[in-house]
Amino acid sequence: MKKKLTTTTAHKSHYRWKRKVFVAVAFGLCFGSLALMQNQYISILNLPASTLALASPPPAQWPKLAFLFIARNRMPLDMVWDAYFQAEKENKLSIYVHSRPGFLFNKATTRSTYFWNRQVNNSIQVEWGESSMIQAERILLEHALMDPLNERFVFLSDSCIPLYNFSYTYKYIFSTPTSFVDSFADTKEGRYNPKMDPVIPVDNWRKGSQWVILTRKHAQVVVKDRTVFPMFQQHCRRKSLPEFWREKPIIGDTSKQHNCITDEHYVQTLLAQEGLEGEITRRSLTHTSWDLKVNREWERRGWHPLTYKYSDATPELIQSIKGIDNIYYETEGRREWCTSKGKPAPCFLFARKFTKPAALRLFNMSAKGLPRPDE
């Protein structure tokens, strides 16, 4: 009996000893952790302010507007756009320019730092109305899609001006999940080439403005297209007419030629072909004037829209463009009322074609207290 009691007592003593050791170790670990935390806190307090700033969380990353300019050489309205871009302080935009091969944007060719080195490095020679124009657009999209933050892709010419400030433009474009693509059924004979059928049936043939704004999804559709673009290269060609053919005799029989201007049909037809027309707002946000009847100067007529000169650049002109709130599509009998977030809104955010003197005149009006285009 004594032996059993002695064994039990020894076992209890051993257990109490292990418990004391465990408590001591746990206390030591807690004390050590507190001491380490205190040392780290003191170290942080002693860091210079610049180091603390680097350790702060990164700023919020906003979805960006990618501005895709198609230029002949320089950007003649670079300073107008420079002032426009300066108002953006939150990294909400990116800029890409397609110019002639070998042309560089640097101190010698532009006064705006926003355009420095923004030219794409694989540009091609572009011919108006030919498939090379589409290829230039695809090249711009390929470069812009490399930035995962680019969510909208805005095509602009080198003669475009902004009508509103960047903040308003940004909110307007992102107010809808759709692309802005001027698109309507083309019923004029001679534009659609039957040789495109059955790859591109006539029911999917569309026409509209080249100056589209695409979502990232639709931009990827354009870049990945391996079906519609080859058909345009083969069968969509403009008539070989003199530039100002209205005052010159037409040489040869052109009645059987298909007057197909690629950039007026490609994106519209591609999206129709892919069944994506339900994902677009069917109008352009860039104003272009085709009303040439008011022009008595024959040199201002032709296949191209009206070019605004210095004498045309008035506050009344800008206000008349900004006052447009609907667009009528005659071939479809459709009137498109312009809205943003479900409310009536101006139809256009940009306008073309402006000469450099005309654009600078509008821009400099702010010095005289007159409204600028972006106000």
Side-chain angles (χ1 to χ4, degrees), residues 213-269:
I213 298 176
L214 300 179
T215 62
R216 189 173 184 88
K217 174 184 175 180
H218 294 164
Q220 291 171 333
V221 168
V222 173
V223 169
K224 294 178 181 178
D225 171 38
R226 298 294 182 270
T227 303
V228 175
F229 181 52
M231 296 302 295
F232 269 71
Q233 288 178 304
Q234 296 177 44
H235 304 301
C236 182
R237 300 178 183 277
R238 62 181 174 88
K239 284 185 178 181
S240 301
L241 293 180
E243 177 69 7
F244 305 111
W245 58 273
R246 289 182 177 87
E247 61 176 343
K248 298 180 181 180
I250 299 176
I251 302 173
D253 181 13
T254 61
S255 60
K256 296 182 180 180
Q257 294 184 22
H258 297 278
N259 189 29
C260 180
I261 311 300
T262 57
D263 51 78
E264 294 181 353
H265 297 275
Y266 173 66
V267 172
Q268 292 80 359
T269 299

Side-chain angles (χ1 to χ4, degrees), residues 203-206 267-277:
D203 290 343
N204 288 338
W205 186 246
R206 300 289 185 271
V267 172
Q268 292 80 359
T269 299
L270 173 62
L271 295 180
Q273 186 87 347
E274 296 292 328
L276 297 173
E277 288 189 296

